[in-house]
Amino acid sequence: MPPRFLAPRMLSSHTLNPVIRSRFVVATISPISQTLNSSHRLPLVSPPANRLILPPNMTFPKCFSNSGSAAATDPIPISGVPELNDADRDSSLMVVSFYKFADFPDHADMRKPLKELCEELRVSGGIILAPEGINGSICGTRESVERVLGFIQSDDRLKGLRQVESPVSLEEQAIHHGHSNSSPLAAGDDAPFRWDHVRVKLKKEIVTLGMPTVSPIERVGKYIKPNEWNALINDPDTVVIDVRNNYETRIGKFKRAVDPCTASFREFPSWVEQQFQLRDADETQHSNGNDDEETKSPDTKSPPRVAMYCTGGIRCEKASSFLLSKGFKEVYHLEGGILKYLEEVPKSESQWEGECFVFDKRVSVEHGMAQGTFKLCYGCKQPVSDAEMEAVEWEYGVSCPYCYSSKSEEEKERARARQRQFENWGIIGGPDKGRRPGSKLDNDTSANHLSSSI
């Protein structure tokens, strides 16, 4: 089995400066207190377990240094990007997921200044702007993240962001800075832990339900705090609904929770229609204006009390707004989502079973926000366990038991070629990108071709 690197999808031209395009600095930490070795020219093979690949414009982080060694404590200056000051270098990182539904028709105006601020402060992650508000997950020092959040909330419509803060391990800090034992060049486009890379995208919705008439700005369910959640879902008259996707629910969910088995959030309205067979609330209210029992159809069901939950709360806001439009009267949802529950509720009192899938390179988390045990299949972006990685359908970077049968041999071969590029060059799209297998470039042109391919 090949080394289990976390393969990034693609590095765009603005991600790497010209120095990185031609070489990488290789650091040996055996022992950690030793100073860095000199840089090496490409090509690079997959690094051993005790080697890290550092972007040349990054200093060696103190989390890997020995405070008793002056040689290891002093950063190695590398040109290309201004050095961090002592306060930033000593600050630990934090991850904050946030969102806010708002009437935001001029959302596109915020994209450029927000992206520039994140890049200036070295805050990484992904942010979505849409006419209905903002949704994002970012990683950086506390001071930098708070400055970004402050800038966002300088717009009165976005004040009161709903936030979930997660701790960052030393390994995740390394990934944020672009290197780790298992991921030479960061963690891919979907991860907030990626050095010097932030995406600010414009979309139609901050969370895609495909129903623009559903507006959490107008009406939304009642929030239930984590310490009150157990009492609500243990009530036999409460229907507990998990509004996440099937690849999330299969690795963990609350006791008694109903799993709609949806492949995407867009399928949730159809599931509700089939499951409860309810008419629109507005239609019911204005049909005849008579609520007498004898005028009701014998097939009409009284909507149950519903308690919903998702990862961080954003999907529940839309889902609760949708249920209210369908005539549900009692709609509750977990404030802060599963993440806040796992952070605040002791494991001994928990009603949660399994692990919680997260949309970054942690893949899953447990109680106390500890790193989970699942890995990610880069063929389908689904979580896989160690046992599933022993299956014959598992091929690192190519397929897993959940996607093997749905992939053509051509798709698998493209994935293998992509994985070979990463293992040989540490990036996707090395000097052989776009060339037939077996084609060779001489040493003099390799670096130039690498630069243009990135």
Side-chain angles (χ1 to χ4, degrees):
M1 183 180 297
R4 293 180 179 177
F5 293 121
L6 297 178
R9 290 182 182 175
M10 185 67 180
L11 297 180
S12 58
S13 58
H14 70 272
T15 304
L16 303 178
N17 65 24
V19 179
I20 303 179
R21 293 183 182 130
S22 61
R23 67 187 66 185
F24 296 92
V25 176
V26 181
T28 302
I29 53 170
S30 175
I32 291 176
S33 60
Q34 292 179 356
T35 56
L36 298 177
N37 291 340
S38 59
S39 62
H40 296 272
R41 299 287 293 183
L42 288 173
L44 295 175
V45 296
S46 302
N50 67 336
R51 292 170 73 84
L52 304 175
I53 299 181
L54 305 178
N57 53 356
M58 290 301 299
T59 58
F60 197 57
K62 283 193 174 183
C63 61
F64 288 107
S65 65
N66 186 335
S67 59
S69 171
T73 305
D74 296 334
I76 297 178
I78 305 173
S79 62
V81 170
E83 291 187 30
L84 295 175
N85 58 41
D86 290 339
D88 286 338
R89 189 178 295 112
D90 290 336
S91 298
S92 60
L93 298 175
M94 63 182 295
V95 173
V96 173
S97 298
F98 59 90
Y99 70 91
K100 176 67 183 294
F101 285 98
D103 186 12
F104 200 27
D106 55 340
H107 60 286
D109 295 341
M110 181 177 278
R111 182 182 184 275
K112 188 173 184 291
L114 179 57
K115 182 175 177 63
E116 289 177 347
L117 178 62
C118 290
E119 290 174 344
E120 176 188 347
L121 299 175
R122 299 186 184 180
V123 169
S124 59
I127 301 172
I128 295 173
L129 300 171
E132 66 176 9
I134 188 170
N135 178 22
S137 182
I138 57 177
C139 177
T141 64
R142 179 171 294 276
E143 179 182 359
S144 296
V145 168
E146 288 178 351
R147 284 183 59 184
V148 171
L149 297 178
F151 172 78
I152 292 171
Q153 295 181 97
S154 64
D155 189 309
D156 289 340
R157 295 167 295 181
L158 301 180
K159 286 186 181 297
L161 289 174
R162 293 197 171 275
Q163 302 174 206
V164 177
E165 182 178 325
S166 302
V168 179
S169 68
L170 294 180
E171 176 71 1
E172 290 160 353
Q173 291 196 49
I175 294 176
H176 173 83
H177 290 302
H179 62 276
S180 73
N181 289 337
S182 58
S183 181
L185 280 178
D189 289 341
D190 291 334
F193 314 119
R194 182 171 173 181
W195 165 80
D196 198 28
H197 183 79
V198 65
R199 296 163 296 144
V200 183
K201 294 185 176 182
L202 303 179
K203 292 192 175 183
K204 295 180 180 179
E205 300 176 78
I206 58 175
V207 57
T208 304
L209 186 63
M211 301 183 70
T213 57
V214 174
S215 176
I217 303 171
E218 299 176 4
R219 53 186 172 185
V220 71
K222 181 180 179 181
Y223 299 102
I224 299 296
K225 293 190 177 299
N227 60 3
E228 302 170 345
W229 180 251
N230 287 353
L232 175 64
I233 66 174
N234 285 333
D235 186 328
D237 294 329
T238 300
V239 176
V240 186
I241 302 178
D242 192 321
V243 303
R244 301 173 302 154
N245 301 323
N246 50 19
Y247 61 87
E248 300 171 81
T249 58
R250 68 174 170 80
I251 73 170
K253 61 188 183 71
F254 280 104
K255 296 176 182 178
R256 296 187 60 249
V258 177
D259 181 3
C261 299
T262 53
S264 70
F265 190 44
R266 280 178 173 271
E267 298 178 6
F268 182 74
S270 297
W271 177 83
V272 171
E273 297 278 4
Q274 296 171 4
Q275 184 75 18
F276 298 102
Q277 300 177 353
L278 296 171
R279 298 159 64 188
D280 287 348
D282 295 336
E283 178 185 350
T284 303
Q285 182 178 356
H286 298 100
S287 58
N288 53 26
N290 191 340
D291 291 332
D292 293 339
E293 289 296 326
E294 59 269 19
T295 64
K296 293 183 179 180
S297 167
D299 295 331
T300 301
K301 300 177 182 178
S302 298
R305 177 198 301 145
V306 170
M308 299 184 298
Y309 66 90
C310 58
T311 307
I314 185 170
R315 283 176 280 186
C316 283
E317 288 215 26
K318 265 202 171 179
S320 69
S321 182
F322 171 73
L323 289 188
L324 290 171
S325 74
K326 289 295 179 182
F328 285 76
K329 304 300 181 183
E330 292 186 88
V331 182
Y332 303 90
H333 46 106
L334 178 58
E335 186 173 9
I338 304 165
L339 297 181
K340 200 67 176 176
Y341 182 92
L342 295 180
E343 180 184 349
E344 294 187 358
V345 177
K347 188 174 183 178
S348 59
E349 303 173 11
S350 176
Q351 297 288 299
W352 177 261
E353 298 176 325
E355 299 180 15
C356 177
F357 180 84
V358 289
F359 295 89
D360 56 55
K361 294 310 162 193
R362 294 173 295 177
V363 182
S364 64
V365 295
E366 301 176 336
H367 282 88
M369 303 301 290
Q371 175 77 41
T373 61
F374 284 82
K375 310 300 188 298
L376 199 68
C377 169
Y378 285 93
C380 62
K381 304 300 184 292
Q382 293 200 43
V384 289
S385 65
D386 289 339
E388 290 165 339
M389 292 172 68
E390 299 298 327
V392 294
E393 296 89 354
W394 168 259
E395 184 177 353
Y396 184 80
V398 178
S399 65
C400 72
Y402 299 101
C403 66
Y404 180 86
S405 59
S406 64
K407 288 184 174 296
S408 67
E409 284 304 316
E410 182 181 357
E411 290 175 317
K412 293 173 186 174
E413 188 52 43
R414 284 202 302 267
R416 292 184 186 106
R418 177 181 180 276
Q419 185 62 23
R420 285 194 298 269
Q421 285 183 339
F422 178 73
E423 291 176 4
N424 289 335
W425 297 94
I427 57 175
I428 302 302
D432 290 330
K433 180 183 178 183
R435 300 173 66 89
R436 293 181 179 277
S439 299
K440 299 294 182 181
L441 293 174
D442 59 51
N443 293 334
D444 294 335
T445 61
S446 293
N448 291 333
H449 189 85
L450 173 62
S451 176
S452 62
S453 69
I454 297 178

